[in-house]
Amino acid sequence: MFIDLHMHECTYSKDSHLKLEEIVELAKKRGLGAVCITDHDDMGLKDYAAEYSEKTGFPIFVGIEFFSLQGDIVAFGIEEYPKERVNAQKFIDLVKAQGGICFSAHPFRNNNRGLEENLKIVHGLDGVEVLNGSTLPEANKKAADYAKELGLVTVGSSDCHVREKVGFFATYFPEDVYTMEDFMRVFKSGGCKPAYYWEGEYKIWDMETPIHKPFLLKE
């Protein structure tokens, strides 16, 4: 199963142009088995996403992209989160205390929103986003190098805000997951791998071979 782990929906991510219905429609067309809505500092879509997932039979996992004082962290499996910015370690500790998982989003993107060298300082991260659909290849490659050194799960995500980015990058899960519990269990197992969409299908990235720069996908 391929899952896009980092996506933004317009109800709570005001910089997004995507409705949930559009995300699911395009995800199915591109061969994704599930999607993850990770809005900026908000999980308000959780109830509606659960209803829509049940209605469509398509798995939708709601997490959050939290802007810590050191950079963005994506988390799943939590109910509570800070209403103001806190340092990265405090946020990670809050996630772990709730039994959740978290990964560093676009750690080396040149917009001061990534953890950068803090990847080697914080403790408790489960993974690193090594393919991000709005980040240049050299920054993604650096993230991959750090993830390998630190022994963390490597993931790919579109970070989509527009239709043409949905599913641009994704993550391979070695088994199908339909519940948040299974999602987190498989993530923690270490078998997930980053993947990219190319010529109508997903290909797993070996984290060494250069791949295409981010661009817009055709419908």
Side-chain angles (χ1 to χ4, degrees):
M1 176 185 271
F2 291 93
I3 306 176
D4 192 337
L5 296 190
H6 178 178
M7 312 174 85
H8 295 279
E9 204 268 357
C10 63
T11 306
Y12 294 96
S13 284
K14 298 306 180 183
D15 57 348
S16 174
H17 300 276
L18 290 163
K19 295 293 291 182
L20 184 61
E21 294 79 2
E22 292 179 280
I23 290 173
V24 170
E25 171 197 1
L26 287 166
K28 289 179 177 178
K29 286 182 179 178
R30 295 196 179 132
L32 290 170
V35 295
C36 297
I37 305 300
T38 55
D39 288 320
H40 299 291
D41 305 313
D42 205 305
M43 293 178 65
L45 202 70
K46 191 173 183 178
D47 289 343
Y48 177 69
E51 293 172 5
Y52 193 70
S53 177
E54 184 174 356
K55 176 183 175 181
T56 60
F58 190 80
I60 303 169
F61 303 109
V62 175
I64 189 170
E65 181 179 24
F66 183 78
F67 187 25
S68 79
L69 291 172
Q70 286 73 41
D72 285 317
I73 299 171
V74 171
F76 294 96
I78 64 173
E79 297 293 334
E80 302 293 331
Y81 53 91
K83 303 305 180 186
E84 58 186 11
R85 292 182 70 191
V86 299
N87 70 56
Q89 190 61 62
K90 182 173 182 178
F91 179 68
I92 294 168
D93 290 344
L94 287 169
V95 172
K96 299 285 107 176
Q98 296 178 66
I101 59 173
C102 56
F103 64 82
S104 170
H106 44 70
F108 295 103
R109 188 195 289 172
N110 60 345
N111 64 348
N112 297 314
R113 298 273 309 206
L115 289 180
E116 299 181 345
E117 298 301 329
N118 288 293
L119 283 175
K120 294 184 176 181
I121 298 173
V122 298
H123 303 282
L125 281 174
D126 297 284
V128 177
E129 188 177 61
V130 303
L131 285 180
N132 175 282
S134 296
T135 300
L136 293 174
E138 52 268 30
N140 282 329
K141 179 61 168 63
K142 188 172 183 179
D145 292 341
Y146 272 59
K148 285 191 290 184
E149 179 183 343
L150 296 169
L152 297 174
V153 174
T154 53
V155 305
S157 326
S158 67
D159 194 0
C160 61
H161 294 71
V162 296
R163 290 176 62 88
E164 295 83 2
K165 285 286 187 181
V166 172
F168 184 87
F169 290 140
T171 301
Y172 167 75
F173 275 58
E175 61 182 274
D176 291 346
V177 296
Y178 298 102
T179 66
M180 181 63 81
E181 291 73 22
D182 283 343
F183 173 90
M184 294 196 297
R185 174 182 58 79
V186 176
F187 190 100
K188 291 177 181 178
S189 75
C192 294
K193 298 178 181 179
Y196 57 99
Y197 191 78
W198 187 250
E199 296 181 339
E201 63 180 359
Y202 285 101
K203 300 179 184 296
I204 294 174
W205 185 41
D206 62 9
M207 297 199 298
E208 290 293 340
T209 306
I211 59 174
H212 53 271
K213 291 184 179 181
F215 56 85
L216 300 179
L217 296 174
K218 296 179 181 179
E219 291 293 312

